[in-house]
Amino acid sequence: MRPLLLFSCFLLLVSCKSKQLTANSPEKYDLEVLAEVISQDNLNDIYPSSNMTEGTELFEEGTVEHPYTILYPKTPDQILIIWKDDERTKLHQIYIDKESRWRSNTGIRIGSTYDELVEINGGPIKFYGFGWDHSGAVDWNMGGLAKSNIRVFLAPLIAPPKDFYTDQMINTTQDEIDNMKLRVRAILFQAPGAD
């Protein structure tokens, strides 16, 4: 019985590894998969119809200039790739802020609710106030996503109290959270070592 079990595990591993990512693979819209495609210098093969555009711009509150690439510009699937280097070989960040096919393989997508984030994180989260460049930035609060490369930013569907417009972490009640109807407005994939 034991050799049969080992052989079955071996076949399962081989079949998983043999599944190749292609331009038609639905998982190509996972941010983590895009990061892997970038690391393999395979963007053109996996996203051949993405109509890539490139440029250079100031990021990080206008303090650092980075080259960038946009996939699917001016469509719902638009996504921004920010590079560390002028040759566009080293990923810095990936950023989305439109409802689209893009998502994190954690299940987070644009429009995910506050409660969904708490469930995915496996524990409570904290967030910064609104009305500044990093408005609604989420702190995973030592939860399951604390060591992940995913950063998210919340926005209220209903205007929050005036004292929630701040660049500080805010203390709030569950009733206040429920009343604001918080949703993910942007997702940032931070490349390892890019902090």
Side-chain angles (χ1 to χ4, degrees), residues 36-124:
E36 183 63 26
V37 168
I38 289 168
S39 74
Q40 295 173 359
D41 193 23
N42 212 10
L43 271 178
N44 289 317
D45 292 335
I46 304 302
Y47 305 95
S49 61
S50 65
N51 195 24
M52 286 184 227
T53 61
E54 296 182 335
T56 303
E57 194 169 312
L58 289 171
F59 293 93
E60 299 167 34
E61 299 182 355
T63 59
V64 181
E65 188 174 77
H66 286 284
Y68 66 83
T69 300
I70 298 174
L71 305 184
Y72 307 104
K74 299 180 182 174
T75 73
D77 287 325
Q78 177 174 307
I79 189 164
L80 175 66
I81 301 168
I82 305 167
W83 304 97
K84 289 182 185 177
D85 60 328
D86 292 336
E87 295 75 30
R88 293 175 170 83
T89 59
K90 296 177 184 166
L91 176 64
H92 180 59
Q93 295 172 331
I94 301 170
Y95 180 82
I96 57 169
D97 62 1
K98 293 178 175 26
E99 287 192 40
S100 67
R101 289 179 283 184
W102 293 105
R103 53 177 271 165
S104 163
N105 65 18
T106 62
I108 299 171
R109 61 177 59 242
I110 300 299
S112 291
T113 66
Y114 176 91
D115 290 337
E116 288 170 335
L117 291 183
V118 170
E119 184 177 343
I120 292 167
N121 188 47

Side-chain angles (χ1 to χ4, degrees), residues 2 11 31 37 40 80 147 149 169 174 176 187:
R2 186 176 267 279
L11 286 179
L31 299 178
V37 168
Q40 295 173 359
L80 175 66
K147 294 185 179 179
N149 295 328
M169 192 86 67
Q174 187 63 46
E176 289 171 322
I187 304 172

